[in-house]
Amino acid sequence: MKDKILYMECASGISGDMTVAALLDLGADRQVLMNALDSLPLSGYSVEIRDVFKSGIRACDFNVILERDNHDHDMEYLHGKQNGEDEHAEHVHAAHEHTENVHAAHEHSEHEHPNHGHAGHHHSRNLHDITEIILSSRMTEHARTLALKIFRILAEAEASVHGKTVDEVHFHEVGAVDSIVDIVAAAVCIDNLQPTEIIFSALTDGIGQIRCQHGLIPVPVPAVAAIAVKHSLTLKTVPIEGELVTPTGAAIAAAVATGTELPAEYRVRNIGLGAGKRDYKTAGLLRAMILEPSEKDIHDTIVTLETNIDDCTGEALSFTLQELMDQGALDVFYTPIFMKKSRPAYLLKVICRPEDREKMEAVIFRNTTTIGIRYQEMKRTKLDRRITAVETPWGMADIKCCTYVNDTFYYPENDSVCRLAKSNEIGFPEMYGLIQSYVRDMESRNGND
């Protein structure tokens, strides 16, 4: 199987709806997306997918239409009335009217989800509420995990900006119905495309100030800045008055990016264009591309970090391990050792990408008692891998497919095995073997081995 790199070119910024539109235009299955959105216990909105023209170029527009306007695309509200704005408004209206091929308009009303009819009327939701909404939807475990990770990143950014804990954060703008739909849709589309790697260009943002419900805030907006700091996103500023990068767009990039460098040579297999709604002096397009490296390279460079710790609690080490994984570590583990004077201790080891080394060191220094960390760069041979959702006789399962030369190995994801073992009242080892054999036989019949 060849590498399938998803490259997001953010020269005009990035938002949630632009991301979904670009991925749909790239080839993500629209019916799979609508089925997932149908299952959300939300009401008070409809979804429209259509073609629009930006700078004379056809692009896809993903539009969440709310019963109550949140002013997200109201330029007069965002910036205040300026000279020549009437002309701008007419231009925006004309651009939105210049559309064709309305592909889908989907209505969601109270009677669709009788057990959750109140969901559309909450003025705010905390992370727990949003987690419950996503967990109760029908999508693959991989898509669900992505959506939850994106919202966790948003919650942490909002908590940082407002001086609250994650549990205290109540989502108003980012937690509105349209943002929930955008994030779930982005996760479903990425899962459906099944790229082997996801790379983002620098996120291009504007300058100046923009209005939110709390008043005027600087651009890049505080939540975007917080996400960029914590997740080492690369930002690029251009002299355009306005917000080109939204917190949702930044959170998606932080949650799903797997690398930062494109291959030296590649072939472009497909292109998708997602249209932005706001009318700034930029193309207003997010370009998504599927790239295939010209020559397969199964070798890369990683960094290993290690430190000896003899005066740290197990609770602190457990927290540190999870923090390192959340920050993008490729693997983390610690093993018991004996240090000088026969003191029991732990050897903590981290494997990460070279560009993430300093971020990993910060986590370790902040959460453990170590006063020094050793590191070295190492060459690695890696298998090509992808995660795919497979409908088995026992239920839907996520499978990690790894390829070496002409051999493919199938490894059911642990969460899927646990869930199906419980629902089918089968032991874990037996369930794992059944799923693995079924997928291997299915792929063999399809001639994919």
Side-chain angles (χ1 to χ4, degrees):
M1 183 184 69
K2 294 183 179 296
D3 270 346
K4 184 180 179 181
I5 300 173
L6 172 59
Y7 177 54
M8 307 295 288
E9 187 181 70
C10 309
S12 294
I14 182 172
S15 63
D17 59 309
M18 290 172 74
T19 302
V20 178
L23 296 174
L24 287 171
D25 202 42
L26 192 62
D29 192 304
R30 298 187 180 196
Q31 191 56 54
V32 169
L33 171 60
M34 299 315 299
N35 289 343
L37 295 182
D38 268 347
S39 69
L40 288 173
L42 291 173
S43 59
Y45 77 98
S46 62
V47 168
E48 184 180 56
I49 304 169
R50 60 180 182 174
D51 283 354
V52 297
F53 288 85
K54 304 283 287 186
S55 300
I57 300 172
R58 184 213 59 81
C60 180
D61 176 57
F62 179 80
N63 193 22
V64 179
I65 304 168
L66 302 175
E67 289 181 357
R68 297 181 62 183
D69 187 12
N70 68 350
H71 298 287
D72 188 52
H73 311 310
D74 184 346
M75 303 299 289
E76 196 166 303
Y77 171 81
L78 292 172
H79 297 284
K81 187 129 181 174
Q82 300 174 2
N83 292 335
E85 178 142 337
D86 288 336
E87 181 180 346
H88 259 321
E90 290 178 8
H91 175 72
V92 175
H93 180 72
H96 281 237
E97 287 294 319
H98 188 192
T99 61
E100 63 179 8
N101 301 330
V102 177
H103 296 295
H106 207 75
E107 297 295 332
H108 296 254
S109 57
E110 294 290 337
H111 68 270
E112 289 186 64
H113 301 287
N115 296 326
H116 304 276
H118 61 281
H121 298 290
H122 287 175
H123 294 295
S124 64
R125 294 182 173 89
N126 60 25
L127 186 61
H128 174 76
D129 297 328
I130 294 170
T131 298
E132 289 299 311
I133 289 172
I134 294 174
L135 289 177
S136 63
S137 64
R138 293 189 303 275
M139 63 181 86
T140 69
E141 289 183 18
H142 182 236
R144 188 178 293 113
T145 299
L146 281 181
L148 292 173
K149 183 178 181 181
I150 295 167
F151 262 112
R152 165 64 62 171
I153 290 171
L154 276 175
E156 290 172 349
E158 291 295 320
S160 173
V161 168
H162 297 294
K164 299 178 180 293
T165 67
V166 170
D167 293 333
E168 290 173 334
V169 170
H170 279 73
F171 291 80
H172 298 282
E173 292 173 57
V174 295
V177 172
D178 55 338
S179 290
I180 296 174
V181 174
D182 282 347
I183 287 172
V184 168
V188 169
C189 288
I190 290 170
D191 175 70
N192 182 252
L193 288 170
Q194 296 184 354
T196 55
E197 191 171 0
I198 305 175
I199 297 174
F200 285 76
S201 72
L203 309 187
T204 301
D205 209 347
I207 58 174
Q209 296 179 321
I210 193 168
R211 181 177 296 149
C212 72
Q213 69 177 44
H214 303 292
L216 291 174
I217 55 177
V219 177
V221 298
V224 167
I227 294 170
V229 169
K230 184 167 185 179
H231 298 276
S232 299
L233 296 182
T234 301
L235 297 180
K236 176 183 177 182
T237 301
V238 292
I240 294 176
E241 292 277 347
E243 175 196 28
L244 304 183
V245 178
T246 69
T248 299
I252 292 171
V256 306
T258 61
T260 58
E261 294 186 7
L262 292 174
E265 297 181 4
Y266 54 83
R267 298 182 181 89
V268 180
R269 293 305 186 191
N270 201 7
I271 298 175
L273 292 172
K277 306 290 192 306
R278 299 175 184 173
D279 185 44
Y280 292 128
K281 294 180 180 179
T282 181
L285 294 170
L286 175 65
R287 182 158 64 175
M289 293 182 277
I290 294 295
L291 310 179
E292 180 185 301
S294 296
E295 292 185 6
K296 182 81 169 182
D297 186 4
I298 61 173
H299 306 285
D300 67 355
T301 300
I302 52 94
V303 169
T304 60
L305 301 90
E306 64 178 33
T307 182
N308 298 358
I309 305 173
D310 66 350
D311 54 354
C312 189
T313 67
E315 291 85 354
L317 284 173
S318 174
F319 180 83
T320 302
L321 185 150
Q322 188 58 54
E323 279 288 287
L324 289 165
M325 294 302 296
D326 289 344
Q327 289 296 313
L330 300 174
D331 202 1
V332 184
F333 61 93
Y334 46 88
T335 55
I337 59 172
F338 287 94
M339 291 176 59
K340 57 189 177 184
K341 300 182 181 180
S342 298
R343 290 199 300 265
Y346 291 97
L347 172 63
L348 172 65
K349 299 198 73 168
V350 181
I351 301 173
C352 69
R353 301 177 183 86
E355 61 268 21
D356 292 335
R357 176 181 62 81
E358 292 184 0
K359 184 166 58 174
M360 299 297 127
E361 290 175 340
V363 171
I364 297 171
F365 281 130
R366 187 168 57 244
N367 294 291
T368 74
T369 55
T370 189
I371 58 174
I373 301 170
R374 304 176 295 276
Y375 70 89
Q376 61 179 327
E377 288 193 352
M378 304 178 72
K379 297 295 183 182
R380 177 178 67 155
T381 301
K382 60 180 180 178
L383 296 185
D384 184 25
R385 78 287 303 267
R386 61 187 170 90
I387 295 179
T388 184
V390 177
E391 183 65 57
T392 75
W394 308 277
M396 186 70 74
D398 287 344
I399 311 295
K400 183 179 293 181
C401 306
C402 301
T403 303
Y404 179 72
V405 189
N406 295 320
D407 295 322
T408 302
F409 312 99
Y410 303 99
Y411 304 109
E413 291 287 273
N414 182 74
D415 289 345
S416 294
V417 179
C418 291
R419 176 175 50 80
L420 295 182
K422 289 180 180 179
S423 63
N424 290 278
E425 298 183 349
I426 296 175
F428 183 95
E430 182 181 359
M431 190 76 262
Y432 187 99
L434 287 171
I435 296 171
Q436 189 176 49
S437 297
Y438 177 83
V439 175
R440 187 187 297 116
D441 291 345
M442 181 187 71
E443 292 290 305
S444 179
R445 288 193 301 270
N446 292 336
N448 291 330
D449 280 346

